[in-house]
Amino acid sequence: MAGKVLIIGGGPAGLEAARCVAQLGGEAILVEKRERLGGTPDRESYAKLTHHWRDSGEAIGELVAAVTGNPRVQVKTQAEVKAVSGQAGQFQVRIECGGVSEDVQVASIIVATGFQHFDPGRATQFYNYYTFPDVITLTDLEKMLKEHKVVRPSNGLPPKRIAFIQCVGSRDRQLGNEYCSKVCCGIASKQAVELRQQLPDSKVMIFYIDMRMYGYWENEIYWVAQEQYKVNYVKGVISEVLKKGDQLLIRGEDTTLGRPMEVTMDLVVLSVGMEPSAGTRQIAQLLGVKQNKYGFIEAGGPGGLDPVATSVPGIFVAGAAAGPADLNDAFSMAGLAAARAVAVLYQTQVA
Amino acid sequence: MPTTMENWNPGKKQERYPNVPYAEKERLFLEVKSDPRYEDFLYGCYECGICVSACPSARFYDYSPRVIAQAMAREDIERIYEIMVEDIWNCAQCFSCVRCPRGNNPGGLVTLLREVAVRNGLQETREVLKGYSRVIYKVMLKGNQVSPDMLQPDFFPDWGPWVQQFSANMSVWRRAIPVDTLRGVTDAAWRVDSKTLRELYTIWFETGNMEIIKEVDEGLYDLLVEVMEEELEEG
């Protein structure tokens, strides 16, 4: 075996990829732009994970510890990849860390630069997000849930009636994000349960197009929310959010009961989807890997079945840099990307 | 009334039963919900419609077991009240709807709703059940269903396309049935001896059925009690 694996991005996928490369006997250099490892769950102060309702800080903390304490992983925070040349087996990489440039040679690269949450003000004013303080996003609510202090931003009082609007920034041809962001149904349902736990007197409603609770999310999150926590699911997407007194009036259709509806709410949560992060867009350009029409890194390889292969041999992708992904997806991809990246190290030795 | 989730429907809001106070509607719902069977009858609703596709009543009447499960799951108090005074009487209680992937029993919910509607003697319930006083009279007093000779096929499209043909020859067919309790019986569904009748009367009293009848139709109750008590004394 010869050479090292460069991992770009210190979120869940990058961390897991680094751990796996080390477990397989390889050496990794992990480059992270932020001061801290942990990626989006850390930066956005996630409360609980959809997996076993684990505390996010604790779960991600374990992952960080497994990497920072690992002699086979060299962690560089506040660091950015500035230039890459060469090919599989011998990439020359320039890393800038704290104003100092360093050139390293690696055999393979794993891109794990992740996603960003859709900004409801990106294209047009979605549901008056930037106008009404009581219209918030999943990420805004996640922070409040973590602090166990869910209040209406307008008056600091706990909300009694809370609505989630699904598919904000996803599944929208006009917006350009035609894809399903995959996790928002689960996250909204998870948050709805947490809301009912923290505010037992609240009414929580989720307005959706389809509930996409794949696999065990069905019975572990969706059914729990609906049956134990009496979260109301209404099939029908809200067209607009208006002001009514000091409350919000939302308009939509209750499609299965076949009637238009107007409901007042204290708090409206926009279930924002995933878009490629700025880092993902930049690094894709820099590496020359193909991006799909949405800006995510195109994965699949020539046969279409390899979820971690990019258009450039020796460069692999893991996690939400390749498209909407939950933590299971990110971990599965990270493990496979690590195996493929280490395989390059073996091939390099043979060559 | 303040705008709450329970009256969120502008199409029907304040229009259908505005004279019934919200608190009363809620009380009735809570009575349904407090039934020990409720938890087994309702989990959560996908709104998938499998119950409607299996429901014979839904094919002939403006009736949807899905809406029942849905309204109950959402605890939509106003809609539940509408259901309690209208929809539930369109259910044939055949329980085809129990083929529910979530394990719900919409027909069972209808049973609970009916029991609460009757127990509380709702005005609409009395009206609906008026037409059934003859049936109740027959069933409870004679131990019989409506007899075949009372059949009016035009009123029962849900009995199928052959009901006219059956009706035309009913008397002949009945006479041919080789079962003791049915043979030769054309003015009743089957023959009931007086011992069986006395047992039935005892059951009606002991199980509280007579109290329920009293709640919806006192005249019928008086009539039934008079005959029943006489028969029981004779026995």
Side-chain angles (χ1 to χ4, degrees):
Chain A
M1 197 186 323
K4 295 178 178 179
V5 178
L6 171 70
I7 298 164
I8 309 170
L15 290 166
E16 178 62 8
R19 175 162 74 171
C20 287
V21 167
Q23 279 174 337
L24 291 167
E27 282 185 53
I29 303 170
L30 179 65
V31 174
E32 166 58 46
K33 192 157 65 175
R34 292 170 68 229
E35 194 180 345
R36 288 166 60 88
L37 295 174
T40 307
D42 176 73
R43 193 187 66 233
E44 302 284 0
S45 306
Y46 284 8
K48 282 181 183 166
L49 303 180
T50 49
H51 296 85
H52 306 288
W53 303 87
R54 282 207 64 191
D55 179 83
S56 171
E58 187 187 284
I60 301 295
E62 286 170 9
L63 202 54
V64 170
V67 167
T68 50
N70 198 314
R72 291 181 182 277
V73 183
Q74 191 186 344
V75 177
K76 291 177 180 293
T77 52
Q78 290 179 294
E80 281 186 64
V81 173
K82 288 293 180 186
V84 176
S85 60
Q87 60 208 335
Q90 43 187 357
F91 289 108
Q92 283 77 43
V93 182
R94 173 160 295 174
I95 301 168
E96 203 174 275
C97 185
V100 182
S101 282
E102 184 192 353
D103 290 322
V104 296
Q105 184 163 322
V106 297
S108 51
I109 299 172
I110 297 172
V111 184
T113 43
F115 73 102
Q116 65 190 30
H117 296 281
F118 175 74
D119 174 358
R122 163 158 90 62
T124 174
Q125 273 293 313
F126 269 86
Y127 303 115
N128 287 307
Y129 176 69
Y130 286 104
T131 313
F132 302 149
D134 294 334
V135 178
I136 63 174
T137 63
L138 287 180
T139 32
D140 300 327
L141 179 58
E142 193 76 23
K143 286 189 182 72
M144 292 200 272
L145 288 168
K146 193 178 182 77
E147 290 163 13
H148 283 250
K149 195 168 190 297
V150 178
V151 293
R152 304 178 66 197
S154 65
N155 61 10
L157 298 172
K160 287 199 176 66
R161 302 166 49 71
I162 305 153
F164 286 84
I165 303 177
Q166 296 304 110
C167 301
V168 176
S170 307
R171 309 175 71 191
D172 188 329
R173 178 172 278 132
Q174 294 194 30
L175 189 67
N177 292 355
E178 294 159 333
Y179 52 87
C180 163
S181 287
K182 202 173 182 180
V183 302
C184 334
C185 286
I187 304 299
S189 298
K190 181 213 71 145
Q191 291 190 351
V193 168
E194 289 176 285
L195 279 171
R196 296 277 292 128
Q197 287 170 340
Q198 294 185 22
L199 301 171
D201 294 334
S202 62
K203 290 273 186 188
V204 181
M205 308 181 73
I206 297 181
F207 296 92
Y208 66 92
I209 303 176
D210 310 281
M211 286 310 293
R212 299 191 161 179
M213 305 295 291
Y214 54 90
Y216 300 119
W217 280 16
E218 176 71 29
N219 52 310
E220 288 178 2
I221 301 176
Y222 181 21
W223 288 16
V224 170
Q226 201 181 27
E227 296 178 7
Q228 284 174 22
Y229 290 92
K230 302 294 172 199
V231 173
N232 275 222
Y233 287 85
V234 180
K235 185 172 168 68
V237 154
I238 301 305
S239 61
E240 55 186 338
V241 178
L242 304 165
K243 198 105 177 101
K244 190 183 183 190
D246 70 342
Q247 283 186 305
L248 298 167
L249 180 77
I250 62 175
R251 281 201 180 134
E253 189 199 359
D254 187 337
T255 58
T256 54
L257 288 183
R259 54 193 190 179
M261 62 181 172
E262 288 183 355
V263 207
T264 51
M265 290 289 160
D266 296 324
L267 190 66
V268 171
V269 186
L270 307 181
S271 290
V272 288
M274 289 186 172
E275 291 192 320
S277 68
T280 291
R281 291 177 192 275
Q282 284 162 12
I283 211 72
Q285 293 275 324
L286 189 86
L287 295 172
V289 293
K290 213 167 160 187
Q291 291 168 270
N292 64 21
K293 65 191 276 199
Y294 315 111
F296 288 109
I297 292 172
E298 196 166 278
L305 292 176
D306 184 342
V308 300
T310 70
S311 59
V312 178
I315 301 181
F316 307 96
V317 62
D326 76 341
L327 281 174
N328 272 353
D329 298 331
F331 270 58
S332 308
M333 290 174 80
L336 180 59
R340 295 242 197 281
V342 170
V344 177
L345 304 187
Y346 280 104
Q347 287 151 9
T348 304
Q349 189 183 37
V350 171
Chain B
M1 191 191 305
T3 306
T4 67
M5 185 156 72
E6 288 71 26
N7 65 7
W8 62 328
N9 172 10
K12 289 182 172 178
K13 187 171 124 189
Q14 305 282 340
E15 286 174 13
R16 313 282 311 272
Y17 299 98
N19 298 327
V20 181
Y22 180 80
E24 171 64 4
K25 294 172 181 172
E26 189 173 34
R27 183 188 69 74
L28 290 166
F29 166 66
L30 291 174
E31 190 175 327
V32 175
K33 200 182 173 186
S34 68
D35 190 289
R37 291 166 289 180
Y38 188 79
E39 279 195 9
D40 283 335
F41 288 178
L42 182 66
Y43 295 91
C45 180
Y46 279 135
E47 308 174 5
C48 69
I50 195 170
C51 53
V52 175
S53 83
C55 174
S57 292
R59 296 178 65 175
F60 295 95
Y61 305 107
D62 182 12
Y63 172 74
S64 161
R66 165 177 60 77
V67 169
I68 304 224
Q70 204 171 330
M72 300 295 278
R74 293 184 187 177
E75 304 197 344
D76 183 340
I77 304 290
E78 295 284 347
R79 186 73 184 92
I80 290 169
Y81 185 78
E82 291 171 13
I83 287 169
M84 194 183 286
V85 297
E86 296 173 17
D87 305 36
I88 50 173
W89 304 105
N90 283 330
C91 168
Q93 292 280 279
C94 72
F95 297 98
S96 303
C97 51
V98 295
R99 172 63 186 94
C100 167
R102 288 290 278 278
N104 297 329
N105 181 349
L109 293 172
V110 167
T111 310
L112 302 186
L113 286 158
R114 284 183 179 184
E115 287 175 6
V116 171
V118 169
R119 209 151 53 217
N120 285 274
L122 301 185
Q123 188 51 43
E124 289 83 359
T125 307
R126 294 161 187 264
E127 295 294 326
V128 167
L129 293 181
K130 233 173 216 164
Y132 287 88
S133 56
R134 195 176 171 194
V135 178
I136 294 170
Y137 180 86
K138 263 275 185 193
V139 171
M140 298 190 74
L141 209 57
K142 305 286 184 191
N144 249 295
Q145 292 187 8
V146 175
S147 60
D149 63 328
M150 289 163 67
L151 185 70
Q152 293 170 50
D154 292 344
F155 295 164
F156 300 96
D158 47 324
W159 284 8
W162 303 282
V163 67
Q164 298 279 359
Q165 193 189 337
F166 285 141
S167 302
N169 301 307
M170 186 61 74
S171 178
V172 177
W173 290 22
R174 295 282 300 185
R175 274 191 278 273
I177 296 175
V179 177
D180 276 350
T181 52
L182 298 177
R183 188 190 292 128
V185 184
T186 54
D187 61 345
W190 49 74
R191 185 177 290 122
V192 181
D193 63 33
S194 52
K195 179 172 179 289
T196 305
L197 266 189
R198 284 194 294 274
E199 287 172 355
L200 278 174
Y201 295 169
T202 306
I203 290 170
W204 303 143
F205 280 111
E206 293 296 321
T207 54
N209 267 282
M210 295 311 294
E211 291 306 308
I212 294 175
I213 300 294
K214 192 177 178 182
E215 196 62 60
V216 258
D217 193 337
E218 198 151 2
L220 178 64
Y221 170 81
D222 291 340
L223 189 68
L224 291 174
V225 167
E226 200 183 325
V227 180
M228 285 177 182
E229 282 180 345
E230 195 177 322
E231 174 69 30
L232 284 171
E233 276 166 29
E234 278 174 22

